[in-house]
Amino acid sequence: MDHEALSAEVEKHHSWVEALKNEMARVLVGQAELVDRLVIGLLTNGHILLEGVPGLAKTLAIKSLAGCMKADFARLQFTPDLLPADLLGTMIYSPESGEFSAKLGPVFSNLILADEINRAPAKVQSALLEAMQERQVTIGDTTYPLPDPFLVLATQNPIDQEGTYTLPEAQLDRFLVKVTVDYPSKQEELTILDRMATSGKVAATKQVVDTETVSKSRDIVNQIYIDPAVREYIVELVHNTRNPSGVDPSLVPLIRAGASPRATINLALAAKARAFTQGRAFVTPQDVKDLAPDVLRHRILPSYEAEAEEISTDTIVERILQKTIVP
């Protein structure tokens, strides 16, 4: 498809994005970046991790997104006593037939809200890992495909909160982006007070998009153009997380391990999706710069020295972005 035809397709099919954002804004106050990342996750079929202290509307944002879509939705409250079977399903024995049959778990939905995902132990995280990466689940001797789309939208409290487990690096790498949810501004909090300080129910969102529309948009996103110079910029950014000596030698002792090639793929995919949401058929370097912190922050392992000096991965990514030449 040539550029003009692709631009026309983007213009024709991206209007639902604004409708979805407007509908979510009826429930959410502020959090424009969070909503933008949720839409990008939809368009790339990528899982999203939201991190922030309790009470910042992480769960509400995901439930609002599900309410805007004609799709199956399941909420899973992760707890220390959760078992893999509670998530995936199990084999049930029937005395009448003398046979076992599979009872599929709540993971067989289009949108999964994994609430407080870092409160579940390692065996549950391992069970979720196959579902996230392979988009299939094995129960007994049989493998069952998960529905399309299948997105895990997970929330977690900061690791220093009591009663949490550190997510394994392999699982963190499966998340397209990790979004840090911050406190609202004073004005936003006044709006929240006016809107939410009631014992009644919070306003519900209306369905404005279906899975077929999202799937069609995803096909268009895959065709969005990335200039060779922008592609090299993406690769250079990720490469500099592994070998920072070329851009900032002071970062060398602060990084234990850099981002994997999956970060390169996901940064390109997310940048394409962002271009689509803004009605463009091409990726700009600014798309890459804006999304790099969310794609890279959970894929860089800081060294013990960085942790001792309280230098976050966000600071490391920011310094790499400042020193990497933009095309």
Side-chain angles (χ1 to χ4, degrees):
M1 190 182 297
D2 62 36
H3 181 72
E4 287 187 8
L6 183 59
S7 295
E9 284 290 290
V10 171
E11 187 64 32
K12 178 182 175 183
H13 289 95
H14 90 288
S15 58
W16 65 265
V17 173
E18 199 60 35
L20 184 144
K21 288 183 176 181
N22 290 338
E23 188 61 26
M24 290 184 69
R26 292 177 57 247
V27 177
L28 284 175
V29 177
Q31 305 290 14
E33 185 175 300
L34 167 57
V35 173
D36 184 62
R37 301 310 187 257
L38 290 174
V39 173
I40 286 172
L42 273 181
L43 288 167
T44 58
N45 213 19
H47 310 297
I48 296 176
L49 179 62
L50 310 180
E51 183 177 272
V53 297
L56 296 183
K58 302 184 296 296
T59 302
L60 179 61
I62 295 170
K63 290 179 70 176
S64 301
L65 174 67
C68 290
M69 294 187 64
K70 296 174 184 175
D72 295 329
F73 170 69
R75 173 179 175 170
L76 300 167
Q77 189 67 44
F78 279 52
T79 57
D81 60 350
L82 193 71
L83 298 173
D86 298 329
L87 182 69
L88 309 181
T90 187
M91 301 298 290
I92 302 292
Y93 179 72
S94 172
E96 290 81 10
S97 64
E99 295 179 349
F100 285 91
S101 61
K103 178 175 173 55
L104 303 181
V107 77
F108 288 87
S109 301
N110 297 117
L111 298 177
I112 303 295
L113 166 52
D115 214 2
E116 297 190 296
I117 190 172
N118 58 333
R119 291 201 181 277
K123 58 186 175 182
V124 176
Q125 307 297 354
S126 298
L128 188 59
L129 192 58
E130 180 190 11
M132 291 176 64
Q133 181 58 28
E134 307 298 333
R135 300 182 189 274
Q136 64 183 27
V137 166
T138 302
I139 302 174
D141 297 328
T142 308
T143 299
Y144 299 88
L146 291 165
D148 183 38
F150 171 73
L151 271 73
V152 174
L153 307 168
T155 71
Q156 74 169 10
N157 295 327
I159 298 302
D160 58 355
Q161 294 273 334
E162 187 177 351
T164 61
Y165 298 82
T166 304
L167 294 183
E169 286 80 5
Q171 185 174 6
L172 281 173
D173 201 31
R174 264 64 176 188
F175 285 101
L176 173 82
V177 294
K178 177 183 175 184
V179 183
T180 302
V181 185
D182 209 347
Y183 290 107
S185 66
K186 271 188 177 181
Q187 189 56 51
E188 287 172 345
E189 198 152 1
L190 278 171
T191 306
I192 292 169
L193 181 62
D194 293 339
R195 189 182 295 183
M196 303 290 187
T198 171
S199 58
K201 290 184 178 180
V202 177
T205 51
K206 294 182 296 187
Q207 293 179 343
V208 295
V209 65
D210 55 31
T211 54
E212 290 78 13
T213 302
V214 173
S215 181
K216 175 63 178 174
S217 298
R218 200 178 290 157
D219 292 338
I220 297 169
V221 166
N222 289 335
Q223 301 177 64
I224 283 179
Y225 178 71
I226 302 184
D227 187 83
V230 178
R231 288 166 61 197
E232 288 183 18
Y233 177 54
I234 292 170
V235 172
E236 187 70 16
L237 276 175
V238 178
H239 178 79
N240 287 341
T241 68
R242 304 172 203 148
N243 301 284
S245 56
V247 288
D248 190 345
S250 66
L251 289 176
V252 174
L254 303 180
I255 300 175
R256 185 155 43 106
S260 71
R262 191 177 280 115
T264 310
I265 296 167
N266 286 351
L267 185 51
L269 270 175
K272 284 183 176 184
R274 188 173 192 270
F276 176 87
T277 63
Q278 297 187 353
R280 284 185 276 107
F282 58 91
V283 171
T284 67
Q286 193 61 46
D287 292 328
V288 178
K289 284 189 72 174
D290 289 347
L291 289 165
D294 293 330
V295 174
L296 296 176
R297 66 163 54 98
H298 56 298
R299 292 184 161 97
I300 297 173
L301 296 182
S303 66
Y304 298 115
E305 182 177 334
E307 291 174 350
E309 296 179 13
E310 297 185 344
I311 297 174
S312 67
T313 53
D314 279 1
T315 301
I316 292 170
V317 172
E318 185 60 38
R319 284 167 62 175
I320 289 173
L321 281 168
Q322 288 173 357
K323 298 294 178 70
T324 304
I325 298 173
V326 181

